[in-house]
């Protein structure tokens, strides 16, 4: 039986056309079970009925035409009960409905089982027999097992089928779903962009002429660097924020101290330049794709884009120009940051990427440009969408292919309203984030790249609430030196000279391993990561802290934040090391400067006392920063009093805290739908943390996706959070939301929300209240 099951599922998944796959499966099941009929129905939730899609035994003319309501007949009963139904004589069952067009009068025995994907019935698989009998337990077990294995494949195939079904079962509009990458609406023609080079197609070969291969690579690097300069300059004409820093990272990676050095080393080992490029780039891609952190996993797309650009220049291909209409929506398998930069001046209205998420740099740049983006639209054949008319809804992640006039008119109206709302939002960018009755909350920036925060400051961000320091570590072939880190951190601190910049110490581990410091664990989320790894390796921690302290000289806006804290002992040890680094560096600066002054001024007979006074004045610029911890491990909820005595501030990492509280990996598609920061348990935990921090007089902030949600920001305000941190494009939106409510409204909203028992109730209530507050335009299209 197992072999038969595998064969049927494999045949189904390998078939490109859904209808052909369905017809093949009913025939295979009928033969395998030796029945007289096998049929498969798919659920249509828009019409609230099951559609007979394929059958071997029922009338051919009924396929695609016969519909059975969700609450009608034996098929509807299987869907309602969500369990198998085994009947010896179907005609005598009280729920049996006679449908003459299917010609099933001769069939008596009936066995049906639901096909369920992520708790949702997506279809029914049934078999029928002329003989009046109950199907055996083996028959039932076979059908149930087959349905369970088909669920994932059918869920994806169902999306694919929308492109192939005739007139979408008389609805005319083809609808696809993805991830909302950037808010907004676009109506235009789709242009498909195919990569000009493919690393996967490169065969690994060696060369005897190493010098020539090195020359080829050096020229490709120079041409690629020039290309990135052009793209960055072109993009900077429209935006000038931290999203542009991706091009700085690209150029850094090309340097000999980074990827360039590794590729050169491979060439020196005898590999051809393109083979060396393939080996190094694919190694880094696999490293990043293995990460559990979605932000860092998306960096694989950046590495792939860099590798593709280099390969184009290695192969000395001329840049092919797409034939573009005046306005268009860009579609690609993996839309990259450089693609957005390349086409944004040529009529680009929006982007669709078959892979990626809202953390990809294409989505980040799209948000900065105000372009709607839908990411992760799976199981779509690119060629089928080229030059198709489409509507993309960046709020919901929906994509409509060949929309009818009614749908076009509806979205054109919503688009006009959206433009009006965007203009209104930008009016408050420079104003304080304060409610109508005077309650204030600071809105800060989340960042993780090397430079370019000026535009975010213009959007109203009052500093950086979370600066991820991992990127310089992850894009190199060895640990960065103290001097290199100092230069990077100095640029970040200088971007907000009058506001605080919170730098998180190195947060790597099993799920974010470094290529030169590999860590293999069975369960990286509960393993050696964050503060655990840096405390076990103080030589890494001390160098980073010293670099931060050096960078902070004369600016005094640094705040150091410790990640993944789970115990008081970890805080004590980390604070001890920070103090050690501070006092050691102070002594070094005083001694070095005094010696330098005495040496340089020996001819002027500068007294020792005068030299020491000048040295002390310089070292006085080195100040001990505030130290805080991230609250993301549930154990800290019960240690707040002890922790408050040891640190200057708290910052909740709501993304990880949600995952740990709910025991859900949001990157696991099987359970990702259970991840929700609006879960009642998560909201109760956040409220408890805020109340305890107020009780112990310790400032508290939150950096996570919840802060950028309008309802989330209102709830956090009511809980008593002092600061919230988010991506730059959300700063003016959240400011506008807070400025258009009262603190009393926020408190009432929180009080009611905390009484709700389910996530569904929470979302329903919050969306309803946002509409009442006049803020519905922030959670859907329109204003």
């Amino acid at each position: 039986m197992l072999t038969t099951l595998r064969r049927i599922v494999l045949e189904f998944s390998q078939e490109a056309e859904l209808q052909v796959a369905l017809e093949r499966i009913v025939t295979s099941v009928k033969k395998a079970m030796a029945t007289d009929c096998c049929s498969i129905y798919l659920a249509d939730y828009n019409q609230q009925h099951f559609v007979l899609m394929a059958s071997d035994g029922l009338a051919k003319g009924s396929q695609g035409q016969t519909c059975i309501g969700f609450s009608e007949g034996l098929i509807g009963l299987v869907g309602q009960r969500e369990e198998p139904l085994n009947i010896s004589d179907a005609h005598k069952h009280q729920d049996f409905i006679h449908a003459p067009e299917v010609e099933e009068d001769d069939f008596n025995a009936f066995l049906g089982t639901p096909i369920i994907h992520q708790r949702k019935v997506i279809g029914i698989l049934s078999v029928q027999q002329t003989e009046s009998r109950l199907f055996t337990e083996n028959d039932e077990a076979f059908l149930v097992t087959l349905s369970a294995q088909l669920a994932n494949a059918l869920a994806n195939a169902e999306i694919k089928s929308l492109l192939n079904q005739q007139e979408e079962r008389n609805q005319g509009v083809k609808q696809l779903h993805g991830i909302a990458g950037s808010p907004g609406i676009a109506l235009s023609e789709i242009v498909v962009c195919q990569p000009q080079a493919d690393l996967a197609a490169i065969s690994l070969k060696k060369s005897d002429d190493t010098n020539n291969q090195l020359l080829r690579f050096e020229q490709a690097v120079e041409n690629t660097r020039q290309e990135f300069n052009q793209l960055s300059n072109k993009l900077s004409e429209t935006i000038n924020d931290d999203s542009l820093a991706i091009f700085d990272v690209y150029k850094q990676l090309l340097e000999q101290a980074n990827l360039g050095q590794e590729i050169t080393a491979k060439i020196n080992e005898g590999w051809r330049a393109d083979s060396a490029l393939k080996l190094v780039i694919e190694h880094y891609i696999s490293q990043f794709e293995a990460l559990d952190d979605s932000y860092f996993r998306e960096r694989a797309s950046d590495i792939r884009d860099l590798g593709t650009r280099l390969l184009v220049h290695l192969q000395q291909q001329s840049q092919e120009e797409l034939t573009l209409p005046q306005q268009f929506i860009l579609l690609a398998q993996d839309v990259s940051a450089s693609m957005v930069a390349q086409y944004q001046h040529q009529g680009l209205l929006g982007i669709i990427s078959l892979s990626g998420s809202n953390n990809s740099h294409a989505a980040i740049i799209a948000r900065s440009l105000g372009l709607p983006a839908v990411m992760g639209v799976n199981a779509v054949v690119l060629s089928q969408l080229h030059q198709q008319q489409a509507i993309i809804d960046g709020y919901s992640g929906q994509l409509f292919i060949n929309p009818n006039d009614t749908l076009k008119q509806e979205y054109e109206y919503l688009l006009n309203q959206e433009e009006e709302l965007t203009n209104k939002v930008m009016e408050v960018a420079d104003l304080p984030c304060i409610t109508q009755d005077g309650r204030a909350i600071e809105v800060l920036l989340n960042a993780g790249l090397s430079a370019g925060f000026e535009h975010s400051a213009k959007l109203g961000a009052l500093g950086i609430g979370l600066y991820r320091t991992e990127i310089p570590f992850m894009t190199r072939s060895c640990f960065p030196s103290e001097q290199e880190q100092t230069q990077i951190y100095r640029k970040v601190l200088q971007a907000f000279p009058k506001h605080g910049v919170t730098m998180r110490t190195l947060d790597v581990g099993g799920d974010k391993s470094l290529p030169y410091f590999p860590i293999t664990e069975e369960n990286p989320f509960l393993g050696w990561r964050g503060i655990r790894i840096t405390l076990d390796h103080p030589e890494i921690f001390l160098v980073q802290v010293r670099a931060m302290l050096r960078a902070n000289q004369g600016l005094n806006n640094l705040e150091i934040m410790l990640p993944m804290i789970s115990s008081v002992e970890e805080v004590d040890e980390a604070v001890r090391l920070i103090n050690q680094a501070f006092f050691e560096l102070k002594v070094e600066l005083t001694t070095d400067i005094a010696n330098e002054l005495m040496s340089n001024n020996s001819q002027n007979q500068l007294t020792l006392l005068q030299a020491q006074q000048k040295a002390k004045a310089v070292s006085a610029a080195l100040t001990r920063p505030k130290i805080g911890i991230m609250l993301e491990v549930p154990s800290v909820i019960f240690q707040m009093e002890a922790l408050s005595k040891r640190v200057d501030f708290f910052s909740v990492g709501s993304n990880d805290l949600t995952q740990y509280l709910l025991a859900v990996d949001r990157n696991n598609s099987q359970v990702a739908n259970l991840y929700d920061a609006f879960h009642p348990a998560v909201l109760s935990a956040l409220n408890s943390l805020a109340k305890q921090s107020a009780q112990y007089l310790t400032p508290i902030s939150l950096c996570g996706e919840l802060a950028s949600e309008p309802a989330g920001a209102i709830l956090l305000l009511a809980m008593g959070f002092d600061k919230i941190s988010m991506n730059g494009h959300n700063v003016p939106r959240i400011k506008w939301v807070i400025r258009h409510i009262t603190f009393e409204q926020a408190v009432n909203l929180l009080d009611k929300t905390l009484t709700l028992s389910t996530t569904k109730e929470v979302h329903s209530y919050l969306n309803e209240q946002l509409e009442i507050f006049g803020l519905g335009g922030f959670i859907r299209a329109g204003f």
Side-chain angles (χ1 to χ4, degrees):
M1 183 178 76
L2 185 58
T3 302
T4 304
L5 280 169
R6 287 174 176 170
R7 177 181 55 79
I8 293 174
V9 174
L10 182 62
E11 289 176 351
F12 180 85
S13 62
Q14 290 180 338
E15 178 56 58
E17 296 293 332
L18 176 63
Q19 190 58 42
V20 175
L22 294 175
E23 291 171 358
R24 176 177 293 178
I25 201 171
V26 294
T27 299
S28 298
V29 172
K30 176 183 174 181
K31 181 179 179 182
M33 295 184 66
T35 64
D36 298 322
C37 176
C38 178
S39 308
I40 190 165
Y41 300 76
L42 294 186
D44 184 337
Y45 280 86
N46 289 327
Q47 299 298 320
Q48 290 290 294
H49 62 211
F50 292 103
V51 182
L52 176 61
M53 295 300 298
S55 178
D56 188 340
L58 298 181
K60 291 291 185 184
S62 63
Q63 297 176 32
Q65 303 299 319
T66 297
C67 301
I68 301 174
F70 282 170
S71 59
E72 297 177 346
L74 298 179
I75 296 299
L77 185 60
V78 174
Q80 284 183 316
R81 291 172 54 169
E82 299 184 354
E83 62 180 351
L85 184 63
N86 191 352
I87 304 171
S88 61
D89 193 337
H91 297 278
K92 294 180 180 179
H93 195 280
Q94 61 183 9
D95 288 299
F96 177 78
I97 292 179
H98 182 251
E101 72 274 12
V102 302
E103 301 176 6
E104 62 177 346
D105 293 346
D106 293 336
F107 300 132
N108 292 295
F110 172 91
L111 173 61
T113 184
I115 304 171
I116 301 175
H117 179 70
Q118 294 185 349
R119 305 185 184 184
K120 183 178 181 181
V121 177
I122 61 175
I124 306 292
L125 181 62
S126 71
V127 291
Q128 293 170 273
Q129 192 87 25
T130 302
E131 178 188 356
S132 294
R133 69 176 180 91
L134 286 174
F135 285 90
T136 67
E137 289 185 1
N138 286 339
D139 290 335
E140 190 171 321
F142 179 86
L143 207 63
V144 168
T145 306
L146 178 61
S147 297
Q149 292 191 18
L150 284 176
N152 280 332
L154 186 57
N156 291 330
E158 194 175 19
I159 297 173
K160 189 190 304 181
S161 72
L162 297 178
L163 298 172
N164 304 321
Q165 292 175 7
Q166 49 186 10
E167 292 303 309
E168 191 69 341
R169 294 201 288 273
N170 300 320
Q171 292 179 34
V173 180
K174 301 165 184 176
Q175 184 177 352
L176 302 174
H177 298 273
I179 299 167
S182 175
I185 300 167
L187 298 78
S188 193
E189 175 184 335
I190 290 176
V191 172
V192 173
C193 180
Q194 300 281 9
Q196 291 182 259
D198 185 7
L199 280 169
I202 298 297
S203 299
L204 295 179
K205 296 180 180 179
K206 293 204 168 185
S207 170
D208 295 329
D209 192 349
T210 298
N211 290 334
N212 181 52
Q213 296 301 316
L214 287 171
L215 186 62
R216 287 181 60 215
F217 175 65
E218 290 170 3
Q219 186 60 53
V221 167
E222 181 57 33
N223 292 339
T224 304
R225 184 183 290 110
Q226 291 178 9
E227 182 182 10
F228 284 139
N229 283 332
Q230 293 171 1
L231 291 173
S232 180
N233 292 337
K234 186 184 297 184
L235 196 59
S236 64
E237 295 172 8
T238 307
I239 59 174
N240 185 27
D241 67 5
D242 54 296
S243 61
L244 285 174
I246 180 56
F247 294 102
D248 292 332
V249 174
Y250 280 161
K251 287 180 279 188
Q252 289 170 13
L253 288 171
L254 291 172
E255 299 299 330
Q256 282 299 309
N258 297 290
L259 286 181
Q261 184 180 37
E262 294 189 44
I263 296 169
T264 299
K266 292 290 184 184
I267 295 174
N268 284 325
E269 291 174 8
W271 293 103
R272 284 172 52 98
D274 52 1
S275 296
L277 176 66
K278 175 187 175 76
L279 289 168
V280 174
I281 293 295
E282 289 187 346
H283 168 71
Y284 273 90
I285 288 173
S286 64
Q287 288 276 337
F288 278 93
E289 286 182 338
L291 304 181
D292 287 308
D293 187 302
S294 59
Y295 178 86
F296 291 105
R297 192 172 60 252
E298 282 299 335
R299 304 294 71 83
S301 176
D302 302 330
I303 300 294
R304 184 181 292 106
D305 182 34
L306 174 62
T308 300
R309 298 270 171 175
L310 275 168
L311 184 59
V312 168
H313 290 296
L314 263 180
Q315 296 177 340
Q316 296 183 326
Q317 296 183 27
S318 58
Q319 296 286 340
E320 295 181 11
E321 294 293 332
L322 283 174
T323 302
L324 301 174
Q326 288 188 338
Q327 295 182 321
F328 64 97
I329 295 169
L330 181 68
L331 168 66
Q333 177 65 42
D334 186 6
V335 175
S336 64
S338 59
M339 283 184 192
V340 180
Q342 183 175 345
Y343 295 111
Q344 55 100 16
H345 278 302
Q346 302 182 53
L348 180 63
L349 296 182
I351 65 173
I352 307 166
S353 183
L354 303 194
S355 59
S357 71
N358 57 1
N359 282 318
S360 69
H361 267 107
I364 292 171
I365 291 180
R367 291 193 289 266
S368 296
L369 290 169
L371 295 173
V374 176
M375 318 298 288
V377 183
N378 293 320
V380 171
V381 180
L382 287 173
S383 59
Q384 293 180 329
L385 290 178
H386 187 55
Q387 296 183 330
Q388 298 285 317
Q389 289 294 316
I391 295 173
I392 60 174
D393 186 337
Y395 294 95
S396 63
Q398 291 181 306
L399 168 63
F400 301 94
I401 307 299
N402 292 326
N404 55 36
D405 291 339
T406 301
L407 195 58
K408 284 182 180 178
Q409 290 173 5
E410 178 183 346
Y411 269 92
E412 284 170 355
Y413 174 72
L414 294 174
L415 184 58
N416 291 333
Q417 288 191 315
E418 183 191 59
E419 291 174 354
E420 180 183 347
L421 177 60
T422 299
N423 293 334
K424 288 180 178 293
V425 163
M426 293 310 298
E427 292 174 1
V428 307
D430 296 326
L431 300 178
C433 187
I434 186 170
T435 63
Q436 293 174 343
D437 51 357
R439 185 61 173 251
I441 187 170
E442 289 187 32
V443 182
L444 309 176
L445 178 70
N446 285 342
L449 296 174
S450 56
F453 305 106
E454 296 84 358
H455 186 67
S456 296
K458 294 177 183 177
L459 290 174
L462 297 178
I464 297 178
L466 168 63
Y467 177 76
R468 307 175 181 92
T469 61
E470 291 79 30
I471 290 292
F473 287 82
M474 300 179 76
T475 57
R476 296 178 51 85
S477 57
C478 61
F479 284 106
S481 67
E482 183 177 326
Q483 182 179 1
E484 289 170 322
Q485 291 185 63
T486 300
Q487 292 173 351
I488 294 170
Y489 302 152
R490 183 75 176 179
K491 289 180 181 178
V492 179
L493 293 168
Q494 287 175 332
F496 288 91
K498 297 180 181 179
H499 298 287
V501 174
T502 303
M503 292 188 170
R504 182 178 67 188
T505 59
L506 186 62
D507 186 12
V508 296
D511 68 321
K512 286 183 289 193
S513 63
L514 304 174
Y516 47 87
F517 192 67
I519 301 168
T520 303
E521 293 184 297
E522 291 185 4
N523 193 340
F525 270 117
L526 303 180
W528 198 44
R529 59 174 299 184
I531 196 66
R532 297 169 182 173
I533 192 171
T534 49
L535 289 182
D536 284 351
H537 282 275
E539 74 279 12
I540 299 172
F541 186 75
L542 287 168
V543 169
Q544 182 178 39
V545 171
R546 285 168 58 92
M548 290 179 179
L549 295 173
R550 283 185 185 275
N552 191 44
Q553 281 185 278
L555 294 173
N556 301 330
N557 59 339
L558 168 69
E559 296 180 355
I560 295 178
M561 184 160 64
L562 308 172
M564 292 298 297
I565 292 294
S566 61
S567 69
V568 170
E569 290 86 354
E570 291 170 339
V571 177
D572 288 340
E573 179 63 12
V575 170
R576 184 190 70 78
L577 289 173
I578 292 173
N579 289 335
Q580 174 185 325
F582 173 73
F583 289 113
E584 286 178 354
L585 191 58
K586 204 169 186 67
V587 170
E588 288 178 23
L589 286 172
T590 302
T591 303
D592 292 346
I593 295 171
N595 290 338
E596 182 179 350
L597 286 172
M598 288 296 291
S599 174
N600 293 341
N601 293 281
S602 58
Q603 295 180 350
N604 299 327
Q605 301 300 312
L606 189 68
T607 67
L608 177 60
L609 178 62
Q610 290 174 317
Q612 289 176 336
Q613 288 175 339
K614 288 190 176 184
K616 288 180 180 179
V618 173
S619 68
L622 183 73
T623 58
R624 183 185 182 279
K626 291 181 179 180
I627 301 172
I629 63 171
M630 292 201 75
L631 307 178
E632 48 194 342
V633 178
S635 62
V636 299
I637 299 174
F638 309 100
Q639 303 177 77
M640 293 289 282
E641 181 177 6
L643 292 169
S644 67
K645 296 175 181 178
R646 291 163 165 81
V647 298
D648 302 302
F649 65 91
F650 296 130
S651 181
V652 176
S654 61
N655 295 349
D656 274 342
L657 181 62
T658 300
Q659 292 195 107
Y660 285 124
L661 280 172
L662 303 183
V664 171
D665 177 6
R666 62 176 175 161
N667 300 313
N668 181 337
S669 61
Q670 296 295 327
V671 295
N673 61 307
L674 302 177
Y675 174 92
D676 198 316
F678 288 95
H679 189 287
V682 177
L683 295 179
S684 294
L686 293 174
N687 191 50
S688 174
L689 290 171
K691 293 294 181 286
Q692 290 187 72
S693 68
Q695 178 183 351
Y696 303 125
L697 303 178
T698 307
I700 187 169
S701 63
L702 183 141
C703 49
E705 294 174 4
L706 182 64
S708 61
E709 296 281 349
I714 295 173
L715 292 176
L716 295 171
L717 169 73
M719 290 176 187
F721 279 82
D722 304 292
K723 304 174 183 179
I724 50 179
S725 183
M726 63 201 65
N727 291 330
H729 77 282
N730 280 317
V731 171
R733 295 174 67 250
I734 296 304
K735 276 193 172 187
W736 202 92
V737 168
I738 298 299
R739 289 180 60 85
H740 284 78
I741 62 166
T742 65
F743 184 64
E744 182 181 1
Q745 287 176 314
V747 171
N748 291 337
L749 186 76
L750 174 64
D751 289 344
K752 175 63 177 177
T753 301
L754 291 176
T755 67
L756 302 176
S757 303
T758 69
T759 307
K760 184 177 181 181
E761 289 176 347
V762 170
H763 281 293
S764 178
Y765 174 69
L766 292 177
N767 289 343
E768 173 190 295
Q769 292 302 303
L770 287 177
E771 294 287 356
I772 293 173
F773 292 165
L775 302 173
F778 291 95
I779 56 175
R780 54 159 172 78
F783 179 38

